[in-house]
Amino acid sequence: NVQSRKSHQSYLSDMITSLHNKINDLSKNIPEEGESLESVQKKLVSLSSELSTLETKKVQLADIISGSRREISLIEKIKRDIKELDSCPVCMRKVTKDHVEKVHEKSDADLAKLKNRLTNSSDDLAKSDSRISEIKSEIENLNREESSLKILAVHRKNLNEKIAERKKIEQERRAVTDELTSFEKRAANLEIEVNKYLNIEKLYHEMKEELKDMSKIRDEHEKMTMDLS
């Protein structure tokens, strides 16, 4: 009935007001569009890959540095010991002054290369360590950002659901309002029609009474005429 539909319309209006307030509250917790979750996750994948590569490189550089130091130590020992040897442990020839000089010359050349490799590897290792620290810091920050964006995604999902729910209820309220408006128009038209019939009935009664009065007057006139005769 009409009262039931009006109660339902009021209930829908209250629901829309409640949803509107919830939407406003959720909107306050959702900042302007910034970096997307997908973008942050891509950066994390890229940085994790780079970190893995650098960790592997760091192990390789550590091996190169360790090996270079061992070789340098060995060559320096050969340089020190060659003078004391009677025969060369490599070519098994008698150690002469000329042989010592050649061994020293070759050893110095080898040492220069090894020390250069050691310096370069140590520099690369230091750069790798520095970059690894940077990456770990970036990953830590991105992990926090990812968590925030995931929470934000939940808020945004809830917001969109509330907006969709409000839209659906607004459509239902419009339908109920249109239904009530249509009913009120029909009721108004019906009242007009009823009033027409009431007016006709009233006119009928008035004319009936008037006819009664005229009939009465006529009877009285006829009686007076007969009395005069």
Side-chain angles (χ1 to χ4, degrees):
N1 57 33
V2 176
Q3 190 56 45
S4 173
R5 301 307 288 164
K6 285 185 175 180
S7 296
H8 188 54
Q9 182 188 43
S10 177
Y11 167 73
L12 292 175
S13 295
D14 289 342
M15 283 190 67
I16 290 169
T17 300
S18 176
L19 283 169
H20 183 73
N21 292 334
K22 289 177 181 178
I23 287 168
N24 284 340
D25 289 340
L26 286 169
S27 297
K28 292 174 184 176
N29 296 323
I30 298 178
E32 295 292 329
E33 287 288 345
E35 192 166 16
S36 68
L37 177 61
E38 184 182 1
S39 173
V40 170
Q41 289 174 334
K42 282 183 179 179
K43 284 183 179 180
L44 280 169
V45 170
S46 176
L47 286 171
S48 296
S49 176
E50 184 182 355
L51 180 62
S52 177
T53 300
L54 285 171
E55 293 284 9
T56 300
K57 181 181 178 182
K58 184 179 173 182
V59 172
Q60 293 171 344
L61 288 170
D63 288 341
I64 291 171
I65 290 169
S66 177
S68 297
R69 284 174 176 164
R70 283 196 302 271
E71 289 185 59
I72 289 170
S73 179
L74 179 61
I75 291 172
E76 287 178 341
K77 185 176 185 306
I78 290 173
K79 281 182 67 178
R80 287 194 305 270
D81 294 347
I82 193 68
K83 296 177 183 179
E84 310 298 328
L85 297 176
D86 290 329
S87 59
C88 177
V90 178
C91 63
M92 303 306 292
R93 294 180 181 177
K94 182 176 176 57
V95 175
T96 62
K97 183 178 179 182
D98 182 58
H99 188 81
V100 170
E101 288 176 356
K102 286 183 179 179
V103 169
H104 277 204
E105 184 179 339
K106 184 178 184 307
S107 295
D108 288 340
D110 290 341
L111 283 171
K113 290 179 182 178
L114 285 168
K115 287 179 179 179
N116 184 58
R117 185 172 70 181
L118 178 61
T119 299
N120 291 337
S121 297
S122 297
D123 288 344
D124 283 347
L125 182 61
K127 288 176 182 177
S128 294
D129 280 333
S130 177
R131 180 56 185 153
I132 286 171
S133 295
E134 289 176 3
I135 291 174
K136 286 181 177 179
S137 178
E138 288 180 48
I139 287 176
E140 186 178 348
N141 291 333
L142 285 170
N143 280 332
R144 283 197 294 268
E145 188 174 355
E146 181 186 31
S147 297
S148 297
L149 287 171
K150 284 181 178 178
I151 293 171
L152 188 60
V154 172
H155 287 322
R156 187 169 283 115
K157 180 175 179 289
N158 288 339
L159 175 62
N160 291 334
E161 287 175 352
K162 297 300 179 189
I163 290 173
E165 185 180 358
R166 182 180 65 180
K167 183 178 179 181
K168 181 180 178 181
I169 294 174
E170 283 175 340
Q171 289 174 341
E172 185 179 355
R173 185 179 66 173
R174 278 195 295 273
V176 172
T177 301
D178 290 344
E179 183 182 348
L180 286 171
T181 300
S182 176
F183 177 83
E184 287 170 356
K185 286 181 179 178
R186 290 198 306 273
N189 290 333
L190 181 61
E191 185 177 359
I192 291 171
E193 293 299 319
V194 168
N195 287 333
K196 283 181 181 178
Y197 287 114
L198 288 175
N199 289 335
I200 291 172
E201 185 178 359
K202 182 180 178 183
L203 180 60
Y204 167 75
H205 286 298
E206 288 176 350
M207 291 179 68
K208 187 176 179 181
E209 290 299 319
E210 187 176 347
L211 285 171
K212 282 182 180 180
D213 291 341
M214 289 177 67
S215 177
K216 184 177 180 182
I217 292 170
R218 185 192 62 193
D219 290 343
E220 289 177 353
H221 178 70
E222 287 178 353
K223 183 179 180 183
M224 286 177 62
T225 301
M226 289 179 64
D227 289 341
L228 288 173
S229 302

